Every structure is written in structure tokens, then in C-alpha cells.
Amino acid sequence: MPPIHTTTEPLNILQRIWVSVFPGTRGKPVERQAYRRLFNSLVLHFRPRTVPQRTLKFSLTWGLGGMAVVLVAVLFTTGLMMKLVYQPVPDRAYTSILYLQDAVLFGQLIRNLHHWSGNALLLIVFLHMLRVFFTGAFHMPRQFNWVIGLLMFLLILGSNFSGYLLPWDQLAYWAITICTGMLEYIPGIGTGLQHLLRGGVDIGPATLSIFYAIHTAVIPAGLLILMPFHFWRVRKSGGLVIPRSPRENPEDTEASVAAIPDLIVREIVVAVVLVAVLMVLSVAFDAPLGAKANPGLSPNPTKAPWYFAGIQELLLHFHPLFAVMVIPILILAIILLLPYLRFDADSSGVWFCSDRGRLMALVAALVALIVTPLGILADEYLVDFAAWLPTLPVVISNGLIPAVLSLTGIIGFYGLMKKKYTATNNEAIQAVFILLLVAFIILTLTCVWFRGSGMALVFPWGGMTVATPS
Ligand code: HEM
């Protein structure tokens, strides 16, 4: 390889910039190899020098954490671009979005990229969380990273939600109206919290400016703090969990390979493919934009964004206090404390704990697939605790009683799984997790696809009502 420059040659502009960044190379013959070495040393500030070979298996991470990083980068870039045009006041927000789409070069594409990346990020981070759970990568020494991850998940949820209002169209206005309306059911602080978030009693200019600040400053700042912390914790825990079969010892030593090129090349491939998919999606499908927000005309049905649709469906079956507060907070607290529960064995690195865990996971998914739709139909057409027990307050008949019944069912399922399969704690907890996960997915799909006018159950393909709810 010939030298790029020698001590005697005058430097060209690129070389001058180079030596200003890396003064150590001044006056030395710098060959292409040396440039590469310096670039590598820069990369190695962020990535480990070597990684256990097995952690490179795509079927360990599915590239999900890396994809989340790329999506955050795309969101920050496209968000900054839109910030130059968007005006966060009700009179001008909608028209500024129209202007962005119609009059700014690539404006529609930038908005589409931002929209699809935001939705994809929520999905990808959720899948990343599932992969961490199902490979037992939340056990010691990674417990705290699970907590940091969950905080980031909540931030991303908040980011999608706060961004939803910004176009100020009918879709946004009414979705945020019903979601912030749910806060009223939190006893004591609910109304205060609602007014704080809305900046008053109703949704208006103050709400838009608060959501804008949360979306473009508070949450990005939170992510910029938590993400490096998350990556640092991965390294502090000795890298990723090492995948192994149930019969392998977790202490087995593992061959390592250099991160450059083995890890970096894989990461670049995942990033390039993801950006390509996003581009295709953004060219083919425009981000939705309804008519300008009209506070006097509510669409029927008014649905929450898809990521809150599961909670909206719960609202149709439980008293709002339970649907909006007790159940979500209980589930969130359990997920947060999950790594700190008592587990019988170290199953980290083993997909679904063990062979038996795999079977139990399948059984749990099937049970949820059958029981959840049956429960929805039964509650819609047969069960009516409020009518059967008219003397009781509705919060008891429609809240406490169905909640206690559901909890009894879940505890019963846990006990049954443990007994029938003589399962470990790890396997039984995982089965309950899957039961709740599949139930939540079915609730979400029901609300998104099977609810029509007046939130009655309908067949999505015909818009036909299944029957009038009782
Ligand atoms: C913006 C959101 C997030 C980003 C950018 C992110 C990024 C990453 C990356 C790049 C890794 C290493 C590679 C990989 O596993 O794919 C990782 C690992 C990890 N993440 Fe996340 N993550 C996010 C959210 C979460 C969430 C929601 C959780 C769980 C609640 C979580 C828990 C973990 C844990 C425990 C590890 C270590 C896994 C192991 O050792 O195998 N992360 N994350």
C-alpha cells in the first residue's frame, strides 16, 4: 500500500483535517491501513474489542436492540428536519403539516419516515423486551438493565403518544381526548393530572404546547441519558447473555472473536436493511392525516392509538378504575420487579428456560387464545354483574369482582402448571407471562379490528355488527 502522504509532501485538505482530528499522525507516513486502525480505535470506544462468538448468532438478538438504535437515530434526524417547518399552535399546526407535505422538497417522505419509524420503534423495542425475557437475559447481573430498558420503553410509549397530537387532525384530537379522559378515573389525583397534562380543562393551545415540549425536548433528553446508560450496563455485565442449550453449563468458557469486523459488519448489514425497508414503506404508504381537528364533531367510533387499544378494550369489560389504573399499574409493577422475583434456577441464555418451559409456553399461549375471545364474548352478551348485583357500587360489581375472578384464574393457572408439569418457578412464571401477553394482544386486536360504531363488536371485513351489546 503506497503512503497517503509522507513527511516531506504537502498535505491535501483531507489530510489536514485528518491530522487536526488525530494530531498523533502528524508528520508520520500514514497508510490506508493506519487510517483504518484509527477509525477502528474510534469505533472501539463504543463497542467491545472482542465478543463471545456465540453472541453473534442472529437468533439470539434478532438484531432488535441495534434496530432500536437505528430507529432512534432516524427519528431524531427526521424530527429535527420537521421542527424547522412545524408550528405548535392549533391555528397553524395542521396547515404547517400540509405545507410540509405539499411544498417542502421530500417533506412527505420525511414525515412518512418519522411516522413509520416511531411505530416500528415501539414494536421493535417490545419484541426486544420479549427476546430479553425469553432468553432469561434479565437475571443477575442484568437485572438493573431490565429496569432501565423498561423506563426507555415507557419513554417511547410517551413519545408516540405525545407526537400523535401534533398534526392536530381529527384522528389526533379525539384519540388524545379519550386517552387523557381516562385519567379522570384515577381517584384523588386523576382530574389534577388530567388538567396538568392538558394545560387546562379542555384540549387546546396549552395542550399542544405541552405535548410539543414533551415530544421534542423532555423525552429525547431522557432517551439520550438512558441509552448510553443501557449500553454501558450491557458491557458492565460482560456483554450479551451467551446462548446455550438447556443442558449446557452457563460457566462454560466461550471462544471470542474480534468485534471488528465480525460484529460491526453484522450491525451495519442490519442497519442498512432496516433503513431500506423503512424507505420502501415510506415511499409506498403515507402517514395518515385526517381532516383538521374539529372539537365539535367526534368521530364514531373514537379509538385510542393502537398501543393503547388493549386498555380501551379493557375499559369495555372492567370499571374504569380497574381498567385504567389498578390492572395496568399492577402489571407494570410486576414486569418492573420481574428480575427480582425468586427464581429456582439460572436459565439465562436458554430460550424459554428448558424443553418443558417451551411446551408450557405453547400450552399457555393456546389457553389464552381460547379463553380471551370467549371471555370477551361472554362479558359482551351473557355476564352483567352490575345488573345481577344492583345493590353493590359499580366499582365493586364491575371492577373488583371481575378483577378478583381474573386474578383467581391466573393464580389457578400458575398452580396448575406447576403441579401438572412439576415445573420450576422460572417455567411457571414464564407461562403466566405468556398467558397475559397473548391475552393483551387479543384485547388489542379486538379493539383495533373488531370494534365498530358505538364500540359494538363487528366483523372487520364486512363492517357487520356481530350483535348489539347488552
Ligand atoms: C430505546 C430502547 C432500547 C434500545 C435502543 C435498546 C438497545 C439495546 C441493545 C443495542 C442491546 C444489545 C444488543 C441486543 O440485545 O440486541 C440491548 C440489550 C439489552 N436490553 Fe435493551 N434496548 C432498549 C430497550 C430495552 C427494554 C424495553 C428492555 C427490557 C425491559 C431492555 C433490556 C435489555 C437487556 C436486559 C439487555 C441485555 C441483554 C443480554 O445481555 O442478552 N432493553 N439493548
Side-chain angles (χ1 to χ4, degrees), residues 65 68 128-129 131-132 137 142 146 149-150 152 156 230 240-241:
H128 170 62
M129 188 170 100
R131 101 82 188 142
V132 167
R142 299 179 174 83
W146 173 267
L150 203 65
M152 290 200 293
I156 289 163
H230 192 59
L240 296 186
V241 73

Side-chain angles (χ1 to χ4, degrees), residues 316-318 374-385 470:
L316 298 171
H317 305 287
F318 290 88
L374 287 181
I376 292 173
L377 288 171
D379 186 50
E380 196 87 2
Y381 303 116
L382 300 174
V383 182
D384 192 350
F385 288 114
S470 54

Side-chain angles (χ1 to χ4, degrees), residues 364-378:
L366 281 175
V367 169
L369 266 176
I370 295 167
V371 171
T372 319
L374 287 181
I376 292 173
L377 288 171

